[in-house]
Amino acid sequence: MKLQAFPPPRHEGDMTGVGGLALMATMTAAEVAENLPAQQARGFFGAIGRRMAALVPLEDVSEATALQDRINDFWQDLDWGDIELVVGDDAITVRHRRLPEPVVPDLRHSWQAMLLGVLEGAYDAWFRTLGSGPTLRTVAVWKDDLLEVRHGR
């Protein structure tokens, strides 16, 4: 399945194809962030992430390398960067790099809050699909321009 984050430009160097949807996504993130409590906004964006995760079939995935490859294929099709998956003794850590930037100034960091919720929801859904137990938690945090998602105790 080939997906794109936003429609491609109509002509090389032309950003009009990108502008409308990118601007709408940025303004949606700002509106949600300004009008909902932080936890409710995070839950809303997490639900969107779970919907996105459902687009990625995992039935044939049985090892971490295959999971990393499948997730990377999805994000790269969207032009949403790439991940490194690290399996530890008490958690799985995802390091997500090169995420899209907002198209307008984002002084309240609502774009980052939206991405945090979406990716937290997506990774949580993928880990639960693969059999993660109910006592494990998924938590995403920004570390500079890297989003780190931890799933474990």
Side-chain angles (χ1 to χ4, degrees):
M1 158 178 49
K2 182 72 174 163
L3 302 169
Q4 294 179 328
F6 301 110
R10 294 179 189 160
H11 308 287
E12 190 162 336
D14 179 9
M15 296 304 288
T16 57
V18 173
L21 286 177
L23 182 61
M24 184 177 71
T26 303
M27 295 300 112
T28 299
E31 188 68 21
V32 169
E34 290 174 19
N35 290 292
L36 293 178
Q39 284 303 100
Q40 192 173 0
R42 194 168 184 160
F44 172 76
F45 290 126
I48 292 170
R50 287 187 292 281
R51 285 179 181 267
M52 291 173 71
L55 297 173
V56 180
L58 297 179
E59 294 82 23
D60 59 338
V61 172
S62 61
E63 60 181 41
T65 304
L67 178 61
Q68 178 178 294
D69 292 345
R70 186 69 50 87
I71 291 171
N72 270 327
D73 288 346
F74 180 69
W75 294 136
Q76 288 168 2
D77 283 349
L78 292 176
D79 199 20
W80 273 36
D82 57 88
I83 69 158
E84 174 189 16
L85 197 109
V86 179
V87 179
D89 291 336
D90 61 345
I92 298 171
T93 303
V94 179
R95 295 186 182 110
H96 199 131
R97 297 174 294 270
R98 293 183 276 286
L99 283 157
E101 298 287 330
V103 295
V104 294
D106 183 26
L107 301 176
R108 294 187 176 178
H109 305 288
S110 53
W111 182 262
Q112 288 87 350
M114 177 189 68
L115 288 176
L116 184 130
V118 166
L119 295 176
E120 191 176 77
Y123 289 112
D124 185 70
W126 284 322
F127 295 136
R128 301 220 182 270
T129 296
L130 293 173
S132 176
T135 60
L136 302 180
R137 293 187 47 214
T138 305
V139 179
V141 294
W142 282 101
K143 295 189 174 185
D144 296 319
D145 61 347
L146 173 92
L147 187 80
E148 188 172 279
V149 182
R150 186 179 185 283
H151 180 76
R153 291 178 177 51

